[in-house]
Structures are given as C-alpha cells and as structure tokens.
Amino acid sequence: MSRISAENMFGIYIHIPFCRKACHYCDFHFSTNLSNKTEMVLAIVHELHQRKDFFYNKSVETIYLGGGTPSILSDSELSLIMETIHLEYNVNPEAEVTIECNPEDITLEKLSHFKNLGINRLSIGIQTFNNDVLQFLNRSHSSEQADLAVKLSQDLGFDNITVDLMYALPGSNLDILQSDLDKTTSLEVPHISAYCFTLEEKTVFGKMAKQNKLQKNEDSMEQFHYEKLHKHLINIGYEQYEISNFAQNEKYSRHNTAYWFGRSYLGIGPGAHSFNGRSRQWNISNNALYIQKTMQNDMAFEIEILTKNDIFNEGILTSLRTKWGIDVKKLFQQSNIDLFKEKHKEIVNKKNSGLLYQTESNLFLTEKGKLLADAIIVDLMI
Ligand code: SF4
C-alpha cells in the first residue's frame, strides 16, 4: 500500500451537480437545468474560501471533481475553482487531481485545458459500449464517442485514466458484457471501476419497475456478470483492490483509497459530505438553496458528531471491501471496540462458511464473501 498509507492523506471533493441528461438509473444529486450553473460555481468558490481552514494548512494530497458531470463546466468556470483551491489550500505539487468526464465533453481543447490546470487523472463514464443499452439507459453519448474520448486523452499524454463500467444492466446480457470487457481491454487503461446495476426507487427505472414495465434482475444475473467480469480482469493482469475497483501496476485511486483508510476529506458543493475523523457533515442537496445560503454565509450543512459505535461501523463499512481488509487493531484504537471479541460468533460462522478469513490483526472477505459483502458488513456492525 506504500504511498497511499501515509497518515496525512487529505482530500478535497468538489460536487458539480449538473448533467446534460438524466440517466434512467441514477439517484445522485444533479440537475439538468443549467440556468444557474454560473451562480453555482460562484457559490462553490465562496464555500472554498469559507472553509479554507478545514485542514489547518496541512498538505492536500488529492482533489476530486465529481458529480453530476464536472466536464460540463466551461474552461473559465473550471479555472476559477482550481485557482481558488490553489490559493486557499496547501496543495502538494504531486497531488492526484481527478476529474469525472462524460465522453461527449472530451475534446483536444478541453483536455489541454485540464492539463494546464494540473488535472492529471481522468475518470471517464462509459458504462457500456453497446449503443442500444446506452440509449435504454438514456446516456448522452455513443460507444464511438467513448472510444474516441479515451484515445484522445491518451494521445494528449494522460496515462492515469479510469473508466466506469456497469454490469447486470437492464437490456444487457453476458455477450454484451464480454464485448464491453474486450473493448475496454483493448483501450489499455490502467484502472477500471465496475459497478453492479442497482434499482433505485426514485429513478425512471425505479418507477418503471413499480409499474411492472421493467423486470428486476435475478440475483443469479448479478452473480454471473460479476464472475465473468472478475475472471476476465484478473486474467489480464488487473488487481482487484476494492470490490468495484481494478488497477494495473498499483495505479490505485489515491482519493478513494484515502477515504477507505478513514482519512479526512472536505466536500464542497451541494450534497457533498465532509469527514474529519470525529464528525461527518453533509451539505444541503438542493441547488438553489445551496447557492442562496452559501452566498449569505448561512450554514448550508448538517453535522453529526460520531459516537464510538459510529466510528466502529464506519471503519467496517469503508475497509472490509478493500484488499487491505479491516485493520482490527487500528479500529480498536479509534473506537475502543474489539471486533474480534464483539463479533466473535459471527466471525467464526462466516469463516466456517468460507466468507471471511483473517490474519493476526486483519479481517478480509474471501472471493465467495465478496458476493455477499453488503450482508456481511451489516452483520459485523453494531
Ligand atoms: S451523467 Fe452520471 S451523474 Fe449524471 S445522471 Fe448520468 S450517471 Fe448520474
């Protein structure tokens, strides 16, 4: 784990809550109404100024522009945000700086601008290369645009690229997944995030399912898709360092890994979360209210002081899905709760069922356990 285990891994997350179209499966916080985009950028910049003491001038090691669709920002809007971060925060010159992009936004001009701003990692939302499925999902790009976006980025010298894929998608099947995997492999990106489709109630798909217009996936479909994906990526040399994340040559996402290790992060923008080891805070998830309150220096967030139980549960939730597992000694130091004692019976049962294994101080999911990770995590929490 080398450089990512450094104690002082502080990250800034900026949430850009706009998208061109609403994907039918997505329940993130975003709006397709771009009329107040400029005001939103000014509010984000204002919040960056307001919260400049969050890290007490300690070095910021990662910056992550997520959303929504950050690549929707104009060059001047993005410049303003990045300049404000560098003005107000102590950013390590070697920091990992990631921007999430949708393929249709990627042009040579845009990529050059990213480079000039010090952005050194691209997260490209592809999901699938099948045009019929893309259309069914209401994505705003085609397979050809996705292919071109990755190639243009590589031509311009971006070597730290991750692509997002989804599996067990409605309208997809194992053949489509295989061709997604073949296509992705041919692009030779060092990192892939692969997420299982989940049906969220408040989305278009959620509403369709309620009206019996969309069939829910069988559990076996998710399992078959996951197994195919896992086998393919491991066979060609990717390392699964978190259930949904695969990397070559340790090109891990430093930002997400720091989060899984329980490091502090500052979340800016509507709906963004912050964490400082003792409390969690989340900004209001309403664009107009966020802008109004932030510009009036009003509190646009809620805060929760974490109890020992919260810290214990958070530690399990964030670390069990990783290849480093739960560091039980560290979790005890943080929460004063000994996982091995507290959940002795559950751990023994799950070890006997081949779902968990342990070393002297760490607890890990087995390959079989990864398929049931969510349920196992719930059982280990208090
Ligand atoms: S582009 Fe991303 S954030 Fe926007 S609706 Fe689609 S999946 Fe959600």
Side-chain angles (χ1 to χ4, degrees):
M1 53 187 166
S2 57
R3 61 203 160 105
I4 51 171
S5 67
E7 275 309 311
N8 296 324
M9 283 291 288
F10 299 115
I12 297 178
Y13 173 81
I14 311 280
H15 189 79
I16 306 298
F18 298 107
C19 295
R20 291 188 203 289
K21 283 169 85 176
C23 302
H24 286 345
Y25 56 87
C26 178
D27 75 340
F28 292 165
H29 173 64
F30 68 92
S31 169
T32 51
N33 174 3
L34 307 188
S35 60
N36 57 2
K37 183 158 71 84
T38 306
E39 286 85 350
M40 176 61 70
V41 170
L42 294 176
I44 284 173
V45 164
H46 197 74
E47 192 188 355
L48 279 166
H49 287 300
Q50 277 178 329
R51 301 179 71 189
K52 63 185 171 133
D53 294 326
F54 188 85
F55 298 117
Y56 300 104
N57 207 33
K58 286 181 191 142
S59 173
V60 171
E61 301 293 326
T62 65
I63 298 168
Y64 194 102
L65 293 127
T69 311
S71 56
I72 217 168
L73 294 176
S74 69
D75 287 357
S76 58
E77 289 166 342
L78 189 57
S79 296
L80 186 58
I81 291 173
M82 291 304 296
E83 281 159 15
T84 308
I85 294 174
H86 283 279
L87 179 74
E88 298 288 27
Y89 299 82
N90 178 15
V91 180
N92 184 334
E94 302 290 312
E96 175 191 271
V97 186
T98 305
I99 186 165
E100 288 181 355
C101 307
N102 271 358
E104 71 275 15
D105 292 326
I106 293 187
T107 61
L108 275 179
E109 295 71 33
K110 196 137 210 160
L111 290 166
S112 305
H113 188 63
F114 290 169
K115 278 218 142 172
N116 292 338
L117 292 177
I119 291 169
N120 50 30
R121 185 169 183 270
L122 303 179
S123 171
I124 304 179
I126 291 176
Q127 320 312 346
T128 172
F129 285 94
N130 184 289
N131 278 329
D132 292 336
V133 181
L134 283 171
Q135 227 176 351
F136 187 56
L137 301 176
N138 204 35
R139 295 287 299 175
S140 51
H141 63 88
S142 66
S143 166
E144 294 72 25
Q145 282 174 306
D147 182 60
L148 187 65
V150 175
K151 287 179 177 154
L152 274 181
S153 307
Q154 289 167 328
D155 287 349
L156 216 79
F158 281 96
D159 59 357
N160 202 352
I161 297 175
T162 177
V163 301
D164 277 0
L165 292 181
M166 288 178 83
Y167 60 93
L169 281 165
S172 187
N173 56 41
L174 284 172
D175 290 338
I176 292 176
L177 177 64
Q178 185 60 56
S179 97
D180 283 346
L181 291 169
D182 292 338
K183 181 74 196 166
T184 309
T185 308
S186 73
L187 291 171
E188 298 184 344
V189 289
H191 191 286
I192 296 168
S193 296
Y195 300 102
C196 184
F197 167 77
T198 46
L199 193 58
E200 305 288 352
E201 216 181 303
K202 289 185 183 151
T203 61
V204 171
F205 280 160
K207 287 173 192 149
M208 282 169 69
K210 216 170 167 189
Q211 297 161 0
N212 291 323
K213 290 180 183 162
L214 184 81
Q215 279 227 301
K216 284 190 184 159
N217 284 340
E218 306 265 333
D219 285 350
S220 58
M221 176 183 181
E222 294 176 2
Q223 183 180 336
F224 291 152
H225 279 230
Y226 170 80
E227 284 170 351
K228 185 183 250 309
L229 177 132
H230 180 267
K231 191 171 166 204
H232 179 97
L233 293 179
I234 299 301
N235 279 347
I236 56 171
Y238 285 86
E239 178 192 13
Q240 185 182 32
Y241 71 105
E242 195 267 349
I243 288 186
S244 305
N245 287 281
F246 298 81
Q248 285 179 329
N249 305 319
E250 299 194 349
K251 279 240 158 128
Y252 309 136
S253 160
R254 287 164 58 194
H255 185 83
N256 287 343
T257 305
Y259 162 74
W260 297 321
F261 273 76
R263 309 286 183 253
S264 297
Y265 54 88
L266 169 63
I268 301 282
H273 288 225
S274 304
F275 174 72
N276 66 5
R278 299 173 307 283
S279 68
R280 215 182 354 232
Q281 134 177 5
W282 54 100
N283 288 354
I284 194 165
S285 290
N286 175 305
N287 285 2
L289 270 181
Y290 168 82
I291 293 170
Q292 187 196 329
K293 284 183 168 279
T294 304
M295 296 313 275
Q296 289 170 351
N297 295 323
D298 196 357
M299 295 261 287
F301 59 83
E302 288 181 62
I303 195 158
E304 180 188 16
I305 306 296
L306 300 177
T307 63
K308 294 285 182 193
N309 284 7
D310 292 335
I311 292 170
F312 177 81
N313 288 340
E314 184 105 8
I316 289 167
L317 184 68
T318 51
S319 57
L320 186 63
R321 293 166 58 96
T322 70
K323 73 163 188 163
W324 301 282
I326 302 172
D327 183 335
V328 178
K329 265 189 203 158
K330 194 180 121 205
L331 190 58
F332 178 72
Q333 285 161 8
Q334 293 167 334
S335 66
N336 214 20
I337 301 168
D338 184 337
L339 173 64
F340 285 144
K341 279 193 189 146
E342 187 73 29
K343 292 285 175 174
H344 178 73
K345 206 171 93 202
E346 287 85 348
I347 292 171
V348 170
N349 283 344
K350 288 181 191 342
K351 276 165 56 182
N352 290 341
S353 307
L355 301 173
L356 290 174
Y357 70 99
Q358 75 172 81
T359 57
E360 196 187 331
S361 69
N362 284 53
L363 191 65
F364 306 87
L365 290 169
T366 61
E367 287 308 320
K368 190 175 160 195
K370 285 176 189 172
L371 289 164
L372 298 169
D374 291 346
I376 296 171
I377 286 169
V378 169
D379 281 355
L380 294 180
M381 285 177 160
I382 48 177

